[in-house]
Amino acid sequence: LLATALCNTGRKVVAIDADPNVCLAACMGYPNPESIRPLVEIKELIEERTGVKPGTIGGMFRLNPFVEDIPDKYSVKIAGVRALVSHLLVEADVALVLDMEAGLEHLSRGTVKAVDALLVVTEPSLRGVETARRIKKLAGDIGLKKLYGVGTKIRSRTDEDFLRDTLPGWEFAGYLPYDEGIRKADMEGRSVMNGAGKEIIDAVQRLAKFIAGRLTKA
């Protein structure tokens, strides 16, 4: 939903699924998402760009391989948004939405320099809050300073209060309401955009404006 909201502002958007539980393309309604081949599995591409065949020892490894053509060659286009299954850094004028697993262990201090803002999405639950706290600590350890909370599956103002009370000092970029239409769309294999109701779409648009405003001030 965030990628779509950014796309609707006229930006070029690249959405990357970097979660081992790959589901971004399916959520966006791409037909036969299982047909998308993760870049990490394209061994011949890795060897071509790095100079080293995966699984072998020795050789000269290119630390800065050419990747500028990857978004166009190895992506699928969904409602104006390009979706890839890979880790990729793109040019500065592109809005890059990266869906990561719950943790920052795969980010390095070098990679963090290219990250404008980290959104920690959490449900109003003790388990969700504990995960959010762990991510914030990891973010601080690697020097990632722009971190914002996003409450999801919010059913009442009580849920918002719970997140603010259990995560004191956090700045929340927004709160996304629970949406039954999204759950049904997911169960039926449809795009979440087709199932989302007006309330959550409006909430995501406000989230996109919040992010744009904070980055502009930076």
Side-chain angles (χ1 to χ4, degrees):
L1 288 172
L2 179 59
T4 302
L6 290 170
C7 187
N8 290 338
T9 66
R11 290 172 177 265
K12 178 180 178 181
V13 179
V14 175
I16 299 178
D17 196 339
D19 192 325
N21 181 24
V22 179
C23 61
L24 178 61
C27 287
M28 298 188 73
Y30 185 74
N32 304 315
E34 68 279 357
S35 66
I36 299 178
R37 189 180 177 192
L39 292 182
V40 71
E41 295 180 3
I42 308 178
K43 306 299 184 182
E44 61 274 17
L45 173 65
I46 297 174
E47 181 177 5
E48 173 197 340
R49 300 305 172 89
T50 66
V52 176
K53 184 176 182 179
T56 62
I57 299 176
M60 298 294 291
F61 186 90
R62 298 190 192 100
L63 293 178
N64 297 296
F66 178 74
V67 296
E68 291 180 8
D69 60 334
I70 287 181
D72 290 325
K73 285 186 177 180
Y74 300 93
S75 67
V76 295
K77 198 167 186 179
I78 311 168
V81 179
R82 288 200 170 276
L84 295 90
V85 185
S86 168
H87 294 273
L88 181 68
L89 297 180
V90 295
E91 58 268 32
D93 61 341
V94 173
L96 173 61
V97 178
L98 179 61
D99 178 21
M100 304 187 299
E101 60 182 312
L104 298 178
E105 293 84 354
H106 48 294
L107 284 183
S108 66
R109 292 182 184 276
T111 307
V112 164
K113 295 178 181 178
V115 177
D116 293 312
L118 177 70
L119 301 180
V120 181
V121 184
T122 179
E123 298 180 16
S125 68
L126 289 176
R127 183 176 297 178
V129 166
E130 192 56 43
T131 299
R133 290 171 179 159
R134 182 173 64 86
I135 292 175
K136 184 175 184 179
K137 182 181 183 305
L138 290 171
D141 290 344
I142 59 177
L144 210 170
K145 294 182 170 50
K146 287 188 175 294
L147 181 148
Y148 306 104
V150 176
T152 189
K153 297 182 180 179
I154 302 299
R155 296 175 184 269
S156 67
R157 182 60 62 86
T158 301
D159 287 345
E160 294 183 20
D161 292 340
F162 172 82
L163 289 175
R164 284 192 290 266
D165 291 342
T166 54
L167 295 172
W170 281 56
E171 182 174 7
F172 276 83
Y175 299 93
L176 309 182
Y178 175 82
D179 190 290
E180 182 65 17
I182 287 181
R183 189 185 72 85
K184 289 182 177 179
D186 183 54
M187 292 176 65
E188 296 169 3
R190 295 184 290 115
S191 164
V192 296
M193 282 86 80
N194 293 335
K198 184 179 185 303
E199 187 178 2
I200 192 169
I201 290 176
D202 290 346
V204 173
Q205 289 177 339
R206 290 193 296 271
L207 174 60
K209 289 181 180 179
F210 175 95
I211 297 169
R214 290 301 186 279
L215 298 186
T216 299
K217 293 176 182 178

